Amino acid sequence: MGVAKELRRVGKFSAVGTVAFLVDIGLFNLLRLDPVGMGPLWAKALSVTAATTVSWVGSRYWTFRDGRTNTPVKEAIGFFAVNAAGLLIALLCLWFSHHVLGLTSAFADNVSGNVVGVLLGNVFRYLMYRHVLYRPARGTPPTPRRAIVNLDDPAGA
């Protein structure tokens, strides 16, 4: 695969992730409003589930459409498992910073969990989606590029 195509795929991955992030934050805060009054843990569980579902749909039908499978249920299970592992990476970064390094401020927790952890988790997710979950079928030849040359044109254009 060419570098330009891979960069487009990373851009799509980032766009889908941004939409999923906004769904997570928006739904979490909506569920926490007084009319709904949901507790923070249930609100977060529902918002993460909704965001992961949005991410799966975007990944399946846009970012990695050339590698999606014919078994969407199995694919969704793998997708949610990869996302759970990505979340675990962020939690491990937060745990290490907070409990091993002793960096216990809110700022340190945000940097370790929401910057370093999310960054490492996203790299893990992308690699797993790209090379394991949404891998194009083997033996599928790449689409050939055809040059259009007009032999009647003396300039060859």
Side-chain angles (χ1 to χ4, degrees):
M1 174 187 290
V3 173
K5 187 173 181 182
E6 194 66 34
L7 287 175
R8 280 192 302 276
R9 191 185 307 267
V10 169
K12 289 178 179 181
F13 173 80
S14 297
V16 168
T18 299
V19 170
F21 175 74
L22 293 173
V23 167
D24 181 11
I25 298 299
L27 185 58
F28 174 77
N29 284 293
L30 181 69
L31 293 173
R32 294 289 293 136
L33 290 175
D34 284 336
V36 179
M38 189 174 286
L41 296 179
W42 280 109
K44 192 61 175 172
L46 289 175
S47 69
V48 166
T49 301
T52 303
T53 302
V54 165
S55 180
W56 176 65
V57 169
S59 293
R60 176 175 172 74
Y61 293 102
W62 188 45
T63 306
F64 299 103
R65 71 175 175 244
D66 58 339
R68 70 179 180 224
T69 69
N70 291 329
T71 54
V73 172
K74 182 179 174 185
E75 181 184 305
I77 291 168
F79 190 89
F80 275 79
V82 167
N83 275 276
L87 175 60
L88 183 60
I89 290 170
L91 290 173
L92 287 172
C93 289
L94 177 59
W95 174 84
F96 184 80
S97 171
H98 197 92
H99 294 288
V100 175
L101 298 179
L103 303 172
T104 59
S105 70
F107 178 76
D109 286 349
N110 274 288
V111 168
S112 62
N114 293 323
V115 176
V116 176
V118 168
L119 176 67
L120 292 176
N122 280 343
V123 168
F124 169 79
R125 284 181 187 94
Y126 181 80
L127 292 172
M128 292 299 291
Y129 297 163
R130 173 73 179 88
H131 298 290
V132 177
L133 195 59
Y134 292 111
R135 186 178 60 217
R138 291 183 183 213
T140 304
T143 305
R145 295 179 182 238
R146 294 187 298 161
I148 300 175
V149 177
N150 184 351
L151 297 177
D152 294 329
D153 183 6

